Amino acid sequence: MSILIKNIKQLLQVRETNVTIVAGEDMKHLPVIEDAYLLIEHDTIVEYGLMRDLYETEAETIIDATGKLVLPTWCDSHTHLVYAGDRTQEFVDRINGLSYEDIAKRGGGILNSAKQLQNTSEDALYDTSAKRLIEVIKMGTGAIEIKTGYGLTKASELKMLNIIQRLKKDFPVKVKPTLLAAHAIPEEFKNDKNGYIELIINDIIPEAAKNKQAEFIDVFCEEGYFDLDDTERILQAGVAHRLIPKIHVNQFNAFGGVGLGVKYKALSVDHLEELNPEDIEVLKGSVTIPVALPLCSYFLGIPYTDGRALIDAGLPLAIATDYNPGSSPSGNMNQVVAAACIKMKLTPEEAINAATINGAYAIGVSNMYGSICRGKKANIIITNEMPNYHHLPYAFGRNHIDQVIINGKIFE
Ligand code: NIG
Ligand code: FE
């Protein structure tokens, strides 16, 4: 199986050597070849270059991309794509004046989604989740992280992991599973938070870590959820079972969660709508990438992560959807790229780096995904005709995608 894409107007994110992360000033640079070709064999990118250097290369499929752009698929490093039902009533309640925190306090929010998920069969959940995954692949996502966290019992958290494993097996995109049992304190443990933490540490983590059912450990480190001590205990237990930390921090309150993530070599710290100068300092020189979730800010009306400050401090930044029923009911990475430019003042180059190579870093797959590089997986977006790549965030809300190639096959 081979595919030759010819007459590409702009081939984006081309890397001669296998770069796995870009930070600070380097994020301003998006390597582009104008009037290019790209050759795919089986599931791998084997060659690319200028059209004028292409001599009669044979391929089973030839795609003429005149007027179109080609780029690596988006890497969505933060989603809660497996969920039951929806939270449209809470959406309307918020419009009428309640806050996200008010709704959570009266038993809505994450606990509402947990109740719905616990009462839904694994097969029914698989079906709705598979539909969502197909939807986001068509929008250009080729690698994705998916969290548990709406189970909140051992059985339901493992049910979620099972579904994520089935998606991983049944779909050609890269799927990375995260255990987020520490997403909220379940109703039954309302007066016994420690009891739930012990269940997570002694029971859920050991089971989830078996056969790499989960690869990452996540905690919602936030007032009213899990404090620094709780988060530290859960991360320690996760690390002891070889899970890599990735945490929800600084969404509503900043109280040191970023430093804790760095201490435990978290691969990423996500949200950061509230950011202190100390948080920026502690990230310098660490392995931990900050991840911004601008659709969550948009949907909840909370501040946007100060991505400018992070990048201007020399740090890397990734952006992701946070696809979930409560704070971002959209898995559209194109919209994330646009929001990063429009609301966070990232340049198109920075936003595309954040959504491809840095997103891949944030889930530990940037050796094989996130750029156009010989030997990397052939996960490719072919856009509709457009003047140049600035058009992607500029003409927001439009469908820019013509075709998506995953593992060297056109995704239909
Ligand atoms: O990343 N903040 C915690 N978790 C999700 C939202 C979960 C929900 O509201 O269902 C988030 O925004
Ligand atoms: Fe989230």
Side-chain angles (χ1 to χ4, degrees):
M1 207 21 218
S2 55
I3 301 179
L4 174 65
I5 312 174
K6 295 198 315 187
N7 301 319
I8 302 166
K9 186 164 193 179
Q10 292 186 314
L11 179 62
L12 311 183
Q13 190 62 299
V14 185
R15 304 278 176 178
E16 270 297 311
T17 54
N18 198 353
V19 172
T20 53
I21 188 168
V22 286
E25 277 287 311
D26 292 343
M27 287 189 70
K28 291 191 167 55
H29 180 58
L30 181 71
V32 175
I33 302 179
E34 314 262 346
D35 196 18
Y37 74 91
L38 176 72
L39 181 65
I40 295 167
E41 265 166 28
H42 305 291
D43 62 351
T44 304
I45 296 169
V46 292
E47 199 49 88
Y48 59 79
L50 288 165
M51 270 311 283
R52 66 159 185 262
D53 296 332
L54 175 69
Y55 300 100
E56 13 149 4
T57 301
E58 306 236 320
E60 278 146 80
T61 306
I62 295 183
I63 298 175
D64 184 355
T66 300
K68 300 174 180 180
L69 320 187
V70 169
L71 66 155
T73 48
W74 308 124
C75 296
D76 191 352
S77 66
H78 183 138
T79 85
H80 311 245
L81 170 146
V82 177
Y83 61 83
D86 64 43
R87 305 233 295 272
T88 48
Q89 185 54 49
E90 294 180 3
F91 169 61
V92 176
D93 292 343
R94 280 195 302 103
I95 294 170
N96 286 320
L98 286 182
S99 72
Y100 181 82
E101 281 126 315
D102 295 334
I103 291 168
K105 279 198 190 107
R106 61 165 203 204
I110 295 166
L111 296 184
N112 174 358
S113 287
K115 210 174 292 160
Q116 299 191 64
L117 184 132
Q118 288 161 6
N119 295 325
T120 307
S121 74
E122 184 180 313
D123 284 341
L125 266 173
Y126 173 85
D127 289 345
T128 49
S129 305
K131 281 199 188 103
R132 285 185 203 118
L133 187 56
I134 291 168
E135 177 206 4
V136 302
I137 297 169
K138 286 184 175 160
M139 293 191 288
T141 295
I144 189 168
E145 182 257 17
I146 308 177
K147 301 176 194 294
T148 70
Y150 294 122
L152 306 185
T153 64
K154 185 179 176 189
S156 292
E157 284 293 307
L158 295 177
K159 174 167 85 176
M160 290 190 78
L161 277 179
N162 229 6
I163 293 163
I164 300 169
Q165 288 299 330
R166 284 169 66 185
L167 296 171
K168 182 176 169 176
K169 190 159 75 50
D170 295 350
F171 287 86
V173 288
K174 189 74 179 171
V175 172
K176 290 293 232 177
T178 298
L179 180 70
L180 176 59
H183 198 192
I185 322 294
E187 194 59 37
E188 319 80 89
F189 287 93
K190 185 161 77 187
N191 299 312
D192 181 21
K193 182 173 73 166
N194 189 50
Y196 184 54
I197 293 171
E198 284 184 352
L199 178 76
I200 295 175
I201 290 176
N202 299 326
D203 234 359
I204 303 181
I205 288 177
E207 197 61 34
K210 275 189 198 158
N211 314 318
K212 289 210 161 191
Q213 284 259 105
E215 294 182 45
F216 301 119
I217 179 80
D218 197 344
V219 179
F220 187 16
C221 181
E222 183 56 63
E223 278 175 21
Y225 295 82
F226 297 90
D227 63 22
L228 286 180
D229 283 345
D230 305 334
T231 304
E232 181 154 25
R233 287 173 65 197
I234 296 162
L235 294 187
Q236 272 173 353
V239 169
H241 284 86
R242 297 178 182 279
L243 302 181
I244 298 167
K246 272 175 81 64
I247 52 178
H248 282 73
V249 284
N250 293 32
Q251 183 175 7
F252 302 106
N253 298 282
F255 50 85
V258 175
L260 188 65
V262 169
K263 178 176 168 194
Y264 282 90
K265 296 196 165 50
L267 190 51
S268 70
V269 284
D270 302 35
H271 274 288
L272 311 172
E273 289 87 342
E274 301 296 328
L275 202 53
N276 291 327
E278 307 88 84
D279 296 323
I280 295 181
E281 275 314 303
V282 78
L283 282 165
K284 289 183 183 167
S286 75
V287 296
T288 307
I289 190 169
V291 179
L293 308 165
L295 298 190
C296 172
S297 299
Y298 177 69
F299 190 71
L300 293 186
I302 61 176
Y304 285 83
T305 303
D306 194 349
R308 270 273 48 93
L310 291 160
I311 294 174
D312 293 347
L315 294 169
L317 179 73
I319 51 177
T321 62
D322 199 14
Y323 195 1
N324 78 77
S327 67
S328 174
S330 166
N332 188 343
M333 280 296 287
N334 307 282
Q335 205 68 18
V336 171
V337 170
C341 295
I342 297 164
K343 303 302 287 189
M344 294 168 59
K345 302 288 176 224
L346 265 58
T347 63
E349 294 78 11
E350 289 170 329
I352 293 170
N353 277 317
T356 55
I357 189 71
N358 283 357
Y361 177 89
I363 49 175
V365 300
S366 59
N367 59 333
M368 287 305 277
Y369 297 84
S371 67
I372 303 291
C373 183
R374 292 179 193 92
K376 276 197 173 181
K377 282 273 182 237
N379 282 20
I380 304 288
I381 294 172
I382 305 175
T383 70
N384 292 320
E385 290 185 27
M386 65 177 70
N388 57 50
Y389 66 81
H390 293 161
H391 206 77
L392 287 169
Y394 161 76
F396 73 93
R398 293 228 294 263
N399 175 28
H400 291 304
I401 294 182
D402 179 25
Q403 280 180 311
V404 178
I405 296 175
I406 303 288
N407 282 350
K409 288 205 183 80
I410 297 167
F411 188 81
E412 343 234 21

